[in-house]
């Protein structure tokens, strides 16, 4: 009786895993629809608001800059929900169809393919969001210029929040991806993610206002939506405005909080995915 010798397993390099995930990403119908909605909503809202908004009086440079940022980040609350759904579906769709078995067979250690999928999701989301936002920026800037509102696009106070909006939706997509990897269910992943973005902030705010608990209001500022909102909030050049109670996060602080949440959820999801059966 002779033993059969199996050929050695050939591991795929990270570059090949990325190319494989890119092919899968652009071949999934839900991806195309989510990205299409992201593009349409971002540009359409910028054009519609830019055309409809008329301040009516001459404004200073700081006010013009703030107006342009507000116009082009008004859609973020909607597009954030779209990328959250995309982030969940990109991984749970494979669990639902059973394709994940083939995916993990190609990379038995699973770490490479999970990180490759996250990389493709992040780059695609950021590029599509950034391009859409800047198309809306140029369109709305032209519309506002006809009304006497001339923003300075080269001003970091304008450029950074617009860039931050794309960073925000990218981080949210990754957060949703981690949640989807944890629960392995499209319905469950979407419910948890949207609940985290829409329901939990409202519930905590209501309880905090009823109990007059400032500490609870401070907790809400660390939730993904409120922390991430600091990334695309325009900061007035004169730093005016009424002082805020409790903890106050700036753009970098909000980025740090949201990025830390993405890393924690992602690390937990990766650890669980490597240990459990498919």
């Amino acid at each position: 009786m002779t033993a059969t010798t199996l050929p050695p397993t050939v591991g795929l390099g990270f570059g090949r895993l990325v190319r494989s995930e890119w092919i899968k990403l652009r071949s999934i119908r839900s991806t195309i629809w989510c990205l299409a909605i992201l593009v349409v909503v971002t540009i359409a809202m910028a054009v519609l608001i830019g055309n409809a908004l008329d301040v009516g009086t001459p404004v200073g440079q700081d006010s013009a800059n703030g107006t342009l940022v507000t116009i082009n980040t008004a859609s973020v609350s909607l597009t954030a929900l779209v990328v959250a759904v995309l982030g969940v579906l990109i991984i749970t769709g494979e669990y639902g169809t059973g394709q994940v078995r083939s995916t993990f067979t190609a990379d038995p250690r699973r770490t490479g393919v999970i990180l490759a999928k996250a990389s493709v999701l992040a780059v695609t989301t950021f590029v599509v969001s950034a391009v859409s936002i800047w198309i809306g920026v140029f369109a709305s800037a032209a519309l506002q210029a006809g009304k006497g509102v001339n923003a300075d696009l080269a001003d970091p106070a304008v450029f950074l929040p617009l860039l931050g909006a794309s960073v925000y939706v990218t981080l949210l997509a990754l957060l949703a991806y981690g949640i989807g990897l944890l629960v392995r269910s499209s319905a469950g992943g979407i419910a948890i993610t949207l609940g985290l973005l829409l329901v939990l902030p409202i519930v905590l705010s209501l309880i905090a206002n009823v109990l007059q608990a400032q500490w609870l209001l401070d907790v809400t500022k660390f939730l993904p939506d409120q922390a991430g909102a600091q990334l695309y909030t325009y900061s007035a050049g004169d730093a005016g405005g009424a002082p805020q109670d409790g903890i106050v996060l700036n753009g970098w602080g909000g980025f740090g909080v949201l990025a830390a949440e993405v890393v924690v959820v992602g690390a937990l999801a990766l650890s669980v995915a490597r240990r459990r059966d498919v």
Side-chain angles (χ1 to χ4, degrees), residues 53-61 63-68 71 140-152:
L53 184 62
D54 189 352
V55 294
T57 58
V59 296
Q61 189 64 66
S63 179
N65 290 348
T67 298
L68 186 70
I71 290 172
S140 59
L143 292 169
Q144 286 292 295
K147 300 176 183 181
V149 179
N150 297 286
D152 181 8

Side-chain angles (χ1 to χ4, degrees), residues 106-174:
D107 179 31
R109 289 180 295 181
R110 303 183 181 182
T111 301
V113 70
I114 290 174
L115 294 179
K117 192 183 291 290
S119 299
V120 170
L121 172 65
V123 172
T124 303
T125 302
F126 179 81
V127 170
V128 172
S129 173
V131 170
S132 302
I133 284 178
W134 280 96
I135 290 175
V137 167
F138 289 120
S140 59
L143 292 169
Q144 286 292 295
K147 300 176 183 181
V149 179
N150 297 286
D152 181 8
L153 298 182
D155 190 335
V158 175
F159 177 83
L160 290 179
L162 297 175
L163 176 64
S166 297
V167 173
Y168 169 62
V169 296
T170 301
L171 290 175
L172 272 189
L174 290 174

